[in-house]
Each structure stands twice: as structure tokens, then as C-alpha cells.
Amino acid sequence: MPYHLPMSQAKTSPVHLTAAATGALPRALLLAICIIYGLAGLFGRDPWKNEDAAGFGVMWQLGSGGLQDWLMPNIVGRPYSDDGPLVFWIGGGMIRLLGGWLGAPDAARLATALFYFATCALIWYSTYLLGRRDEVQPFAFAFGGQPDARSYGRALADGALLIFLACVGLALRGHETTAQVGQVCFIAFTLYGLVRSLDKPVQGSLWFGVGLGALCLASGPILPLVLLAATLIAGLICRPLPLMRLLTIGAPLGVLIIAVWMATVYFGATVTDDAVTYIREWARYDRHTYGPPSLAAAGFIARNFFLFSWPVWPIAAFAWLSWRGMRRAPHVTLPLSFLAVLFVLLVLLRSPGDVQFILLLPPMAVLAAFALPTLPRAAINAIDWFSLLFFTILGGTIWFLWVAKTTGWPPRIASNVFRQLPGFQHTFTISAVIIALAVTVAWVLIVRWRLSRAPKQIWRPVVISAAGTTLMWVMAMTLWLPSINYGKTYRDVAQAAQLALPSTYTCVQPIRMGDAQLASFAYFGHIRFGGPDDGCDILLRHDAVDYGAPSSISHFEWRLIWEGRRPADRDERFRMYRLVDLSHTAPPRPTIQRRLPRQP
């Protein structure tokens, strides 16, 4: 249903465009950027520390485990209730289907690709639907020439997708096997439900309810609750939003999805107490995650968020300024309400990390898209030239360091590179070089096309930025993938620990080992882990410093049989101890000291 502001709030549209400014971005270029960016770095590497390896560990356990693992996800027996099971179900299903062909790590990352492409589609369609509404249409000229609503909405949607892809921090975090990649998708899913409800209230409410339920299953109860609060705020501000339909259809549907999952866990678990404990810990984890604002959290956000979300945040801020006369309209209210509550949640984190930053990107990209038609020429030129210089210098640096690593010249630069990766053996891979050269040539052609043709379309300020992030990520995942993989994997140290294990042992009890370490040692080292009640005769301990041997028991002693660490990490060390029965050990022979004759 078209939305018209009341006469008291009606403002002239800040957008003055001709039809030529809303020409669609070439579909081949847009799809190529999305596909290359999404698939680069997904295959041919190990799970990386920390969140990536932990998420893979849960998926691998599901892919190789039984029904109880699917009901209550875990890492080799250690319950994992930090996030809901939905993302891990999909990753575990991929391992079951394709793990024998691709290998478990690559198969698990197919779930990451699925969430990435779904997020791109949801951002595009959300912006497209908002961009077709009457209140956002460009100023109508007296003699015509303004774009039609369909073309205008498509141009805005292309811009939103390019803005999302241009985000610097999305590169690494968007390619990991973590629950957050699914949470980003379901945030975009829920936002799409709100947008769809503006013209189709029942259908949009169903989308909204499924999004809330899926988000809760992929995270915890806090995240969907704050989005529900954002919906209430948006409904009070934005009159076209069918708030009653959303609350009476969407919200109960989301609750039903969670109730069905909880009932399945409760009645399907072999031990009811374990199911109750798992659900209780899952519900409590969010409450332990958030707390009062702290200076440490504020400092971390101030240092990292603005670089992580560049260039999305300045464009989104300009959208708020440029549409100041229509801030109660859906295209501002809906994404901004989501963005505001998610940012508040970010500030309340007890231990903030950049992995949570990506949750803000879908609503921020949708909001930023509506700044593109209003950006002044000076701002467009500033974004273009900054991106051109930044990514050209960065790309040149990546090539220069790779040449130094490959040829050994200049010797000082080469030695500095290898100093960061002690023990790394560099190999020349012709296919990686060809791909890196191809994306470099593509970057030059895109820049030349952008600067020589000087297109007038509204998406032009972010083409170079999106192409630049794609260039950097592909080059990193080709020229530098072996080096990065060597520095971030636990493969070598886990396999070394496996070789140190006795030929027969009961189980290995992990001490102070994180989820990523536990998963990596179990997968790469094929180590059989156990709990405190399993009577394990091997201890594998993670020590930041040397705490000495574990306390001995009567007639038993813990003896060190191996210690090691990852070459690229000096802050962690692993020590393995074996339980030795002293009662079956032959006592040492007494030393006979011969008395020498006294010298005269």
C-alpha cells in the first residue's frame, strides 16, 4: 500500500534524478562480484582459530555423531550452548551429504556460502521493495524525465548490495563457520518480513515470525527479543507498519518454532536432566554475555568498529541527515530501528569482539542505500579516490610482499615475513598466481571503466569499494592462503600430539583447552577425549605459563611425555602427561659407593 505522509509532515523529496541515473548495474558484473567474493577462501584451508575452528567442531560432531548430538550440539562431548543449533544443523548436514567428497571442513563451509548468498538476496529485495514506495520517489519534474519506481528501486537495491560487499570487516568474518553468519542472514530475513508486511501484511508477518524463530534457534533469546522491541518502536513511529498483524501472527509463530525445538530436545533426549541443563544453559548464556556498559568495551568499539564497517557507516549517517524531513517513513524507520537496538546490544557486551560487528551490516546497508541519490559530488569523489588509492596501495603491497617471500629479495623484507612464520616452507603455486593476476587485471579494468565512462548512476560511489574488497580478499586467499593457513591452524601441533600418545590409552582429559583447540585436536589428531568421570590416563593441558606437573596421587604419578605449540603463537603451550602406576615400577637399584684408600 503506498504511503503518504500527513500534510503536516509532507516534505519535498530530497532526491532530484533523471531516468539515466537509475540505470541498472550490469548483471554480469554484479553477479561476478558476489560469487567471486562469496566463494573465495571457502575451500582448500583448515579451520582457523578461534571461532572458525569452534564452529566447525560442532558441525563435525553433528556430521559424524548420532541423534543425541543433533538434539544437544557438543564438541566431542563438551556441551556447546553458546549459540542455538540451527546453523550447526545445516553445517552438519552438509558434512553428512558432501563430507566424503569435499572433506569435512570444506563441506561445512558450504553452509557459510548458503547464508552469505541468502543475506545478499534479502538485502537486495528489502531495499528494492522500499525503493518502489511512493514517498521515496525522486522529485517529479514539470516535463517528466524522472525515473519510474521499478528502475529506481532496482538501482537502490544494487547500491545496497554493493555497500554490503564493500564493508572491510565482512571479508574474514563472512567466510567463517560460525553461528554469526547465520545470525546475519536471519536478521536480514526478519527485516525483509517487516518490509514485505507494508504491502502484504499477512505474508510479511509470516516471514517476520519465521525470521524471529530462526534467529532464536541460531543465537539465543536476547537477539530476537531486542528485534521484537525494535519492531514495537518502529510500529509506533511508522504508521504504515501493520504492528497488530506482526504481533498476532509473526510473534506467535516465532514462539511456536522455539517451543517445538525445546519439546523435541526434552522428549528426544535419553537423559531428561541433560536436556533440561542444555536448554537452561542456552537460555542463560545471553545473560552472562551482556552487562552494564564499560569503558573497556566502549574503547574497543571506538577503535575497531568504524574501520570494520567502512564505508557503510558514513553513508548510513548521511542517509539520516539527508532524509531529515521524512524520518518517520519506512525506508528510514525500519532499518534504523534494527540498527539502533543492535548497536545498544553491542555496547552492552561484556567482552566485545569484531565477530559481533557483522550483525549490524544488513540494516546499515539498507539504510545507507537511500543516501546514494543524495550524496553531493564532493562526497562521491572523496569515496572514489580514497577507495582507489587505498586498495591500489594495499594491492601493490600484497604483491610486493609476496614477491619478496618468493624470491628472497629484498632480503630484509623477506626475512621479516618469514620471521612471523617460523618453520613455514613456501611453495610456488601457478594456479594461485594466475587467479591473482586475473583479479588484478579485473580491478584495473573496473577502475578504468568507472573513471573513463564516469557513469551517472546512483550506485557509482561504491563500485570501486566493492571491487576493491573483492580484489583484496581474492589475492589474500590465493597468494597468501598457505601462509595464513599455516599461521592460524592447529593441524601440525595436533598431529604432533597424536604421535606422542601411547599405543594404548583409555582417553585424554583436556585441561584449560578452549573449544577451538578441543575441536582441532580431536579432528586433526584423532584424539579420543573424555571427561573428569571417565578415568582418563592422559592429560592434555593448555598453559599460558609453566604451572609444573599435576599433583600426584597415591602410588600414581603424572609424567610429562610431550609439549608443543603452534609455531606462529608464543602465548600458548600444550603439555601432555601420562598417569604412571608407581606400584608396578621396579624400585631403582641403590648406588654402591666404593671407599677409596686414604692417601698417605
Side-chain angles (χ1 to χ4, degrees):
M1 180 182 297
Y3 168 58
H4 301 282
L5 287 171
M7 292 300 295
S8 59
Q9 300 176 13
K11 300 287 183 180
T12 303
S13 173
V15 180
H16 295 72
L17 295 176
T18 61
T22 57
L25 185 70
R27 298 294 98 181
L29 176 60
L30 185 62
L31 290 175
I33 292 177
C34 288
I35 294 173
I36 293 172
Y37 186 86
L39 296 182
L42 286 184
F43 307 109
R45 66 172 179 87
D46 296 333
W48 291 342
K49 63 171 296 190
N50 286 310
E51 293 87 354
D52 186 37
F56 165 74
V58 182
M59 296 177 183
W60 174 60
Q61 185 68 35
L62 268 61
S64 58
L67 176 61
Q68 297 304 306
D69 297 308
W70 286 78
L71 292 175
M72 295 173 286
N74 60 89
I75 301 176
V76 291
R78 177 188 291 179
Y80 190 88
S81 55
D82 295 5
D83 297 290
L86 181 53
V87 176
F88 306 121
W89 286 344
I90 297 175
M94 292 294 183
I95 293 176
R96 282 282 179 99
L97 292 174
L98 302 171
W101 176 44
L102 296 175
D106 287 351
R109 282 189 286 271
L110 287 178
T112 302
L114 176 65
F115 287 122
Y116 160 79
F117 288 117
T119 303
C120 290
L122 290 165
I123 290 174
W124 194 94
Y125 277 105
S126 297
T127 311
Y128 176 66
L129 293 178
L130 289 172
R132 293 193 310 174
R133 295 181 61 81
D134 288 346
E135 68 272 12
V136 301
Q137 296 308 304
F139 180 81
F141 299 109
F143 299 100
Q146 68 275 4
D148 62 274
R150 185 181 181 88
S151 299
Y152 182 57
R154 187 174 57 182
L156 287 171
D158 290 348
L161 184 53
L162 289 176
I163 290 171
F164 177 69
L165 298 178
C167 178
V168 173
L170 180 66
L172 176 60
R173 292 305 186 183
H175 292 81
E176 294 181 328
T177 50
T178 63
Q180 281 71 31
V181 296
Q183 293 167 17
V184 171
C185 177
F186 296 126
I187 289 173
F189 195 110
T190 308
L191 179 60
Y192 173 78
L194 287 186
V195 175
R196 183 82 273 185
S197 70
L198 294 171
D199 54 355
K200 296 183 179 181
V202 175
Q203 183 187 123
S205 298
L206 293 174
W207 281 91
F208 176 75
V210 173
L212 283 182
L215 180 60
C216 194
L217 274 179
S219 58
I222 297 294
L223 201 52
L225 285 176
V226 299
L227 292 191
L228 187 59
T231 303
L232 292 173
I233 296 171
L236 297 175
I237 297 174
C238 180
R239 293 183 181 179
L241 191 67
L243 186 59
M244 291 305 300
R245 293 284 184 91
L246 293 168
L247 295 180
T248 56
I249 298 177
L253 178 59
V255 173
L256 178 62
I257 292 173
I258 301 303
V260 169
W261 167 66
M262 288 184 176
T264 304
V265 174
Y266 183 81
F267 291 107
T270 55
V271 181
T272 303
D273 290 342
D274 291 344
V276 174
T277 301
Y278 174 78
I279 294 174
R280 183 173 60 245
E281 292 302 317
W282 166 79
R284 286 179 175 177
Y285 180 76
D286 274 347
R287 287 186 288 171
H288 300 313
T289 304
Y290 302 101
S294 64
L295 291 177
F300 179 86
I301 294 171
R303 291 190 305 270
N304 297 279
F305 175 73
F306 297 105
L307 177 60
F308 183 97
S309 59
W310 175 268
V312 188
W313 69 265
I315 302 178
F318 192 84
W320 165 256
L321 295 175
S322 61
W323 291 90
R324 56 184 173 271
M326 302 177 63
R327 289 172 181 167
R328 298 171 68 92
H331 69 287
V332 176
T333 302
L334 300 188
L336 185 60
S337 61
F338 272 37
L339 179 59
V341 297
L342 290 173
F343 192 83
V344 170
L345 209 60
L346 179 66
V347 173
L348 297 179
L349 282 171
R350 296 181 187 272
S351 300
D354 60 354
V355 69
Q356 285 88 13
F357 289 167
I358 61 174
L359 302 182
L360 282 72
L361 295 184
M364 196 183 301
V366 173
L367 177 62
F370 290 91
L372 296 179
T374 64
L375 283 175
R377 184 178 299 274
I380 294 174
N381 292 336
I383 294 174
D384 271 344
W385 286 107
F386 176 83
S387 301
L388 176 61
L389 292 175
F390 176 77
F391 288 114
T392 300
I393 293 172
L394 186 58
T397 303
I398 291 175
W399 272 110
F400 175 72
L401 293 177
W402 180 83
V403 170
K405 181 181 68 170
T406 304
T407 64
W409 186 90
R412 179 174 295 181
I413 300 297
S415 63
N416 288 336
V417 171
F418 284 104
R419 189 179 298 116
Q420 304 299 321
L421 301 168
F424 174 70
Q425 300 295 324
H426 174 64
T427 56
F428 182 86
T429 306
I430 186 63
S431 59
V433 177
I434 292 175
I435 295 174
L437 285 172
V439 297
T440 303
V441 172
W443 160 255
V444 174
L445 294 177
I446 290 174
V447 170
R448 180 182 177 185
W449 167 78
R450 168 66 182 88
L451 298 181
S452 62
R453 297 287 185 89
K456 303 300 182 183
Q457 287 83 353
I458 58 177
W459 38 258
R460 67 188 184 278
V462 288
V463 170
I464 292 181
S465 296
T469 53
T470 304
L471 167 74
M472 295 304 103
W473 180 245
V474 173
M475 289 177 62
M477 292 298 101
T478 51
L479 299 178
W480 286 88
L481 181 59
S483 304
I484 299 173
N485 194 61
Y486 178 81
K488 297 178 73 68
T489 182
Y490 284 99
R491 175 189 290 270
D492 293 339
V493 67
Q495 292 176 347
Q498 178 194 21
L499 294 176
L501 281 171
S503 57
T504 58
Y505 68 97
T506 304
C507 59
V508 177
Q509 181 179 346
I511 305 295
R512 287 193 296 271
M513 291 185 65
D515 292 332
Q517 299 162 343
L518 185 66
S520 298
F521 275 75
Y523 177 73
F524 291 120
H526 307 286
I527 296 176
R528 187 170 60 254
F529 285 101
D533 300 328
D534 294 330
C536 296
D537 53 351
I538 303 290
L539 290 183
L540 181 57
R541 199 172 72 180
H542 169 230
D543 296 335
V545 296
D546 187 2
Y547 294 103
S551 301
S552 298
I553 313 172
S554 177
H555 303 297
F556 292 91
E557 180 183 56
W558 290 105
R559 290 184 181 175
L560 180 68
I561 60 174
W562 172 82
E563 65 176 336
R565 64 177 177 87
R566 295 188 318 111
D569 198 332
R570 301 178 181 178
D571 298 329
E572 60 181 18
R573 185 174 294 274
F574 301 95
R575 291 180 172 86
M576 184 181 292
Y577 297 87
R578 183 180 184 182
L579 188 64
V580 178
D581 187 354
L582 299 178
S583 62
H584 295 283
T585 304
R589 295 181 179 180
T591 302
I592 301 176
Q593 297 182 355
R594 295 182 179 180
R595 184 174 296 176
L596 298 175
R598 183 177 296 177
Q599 296 294 331

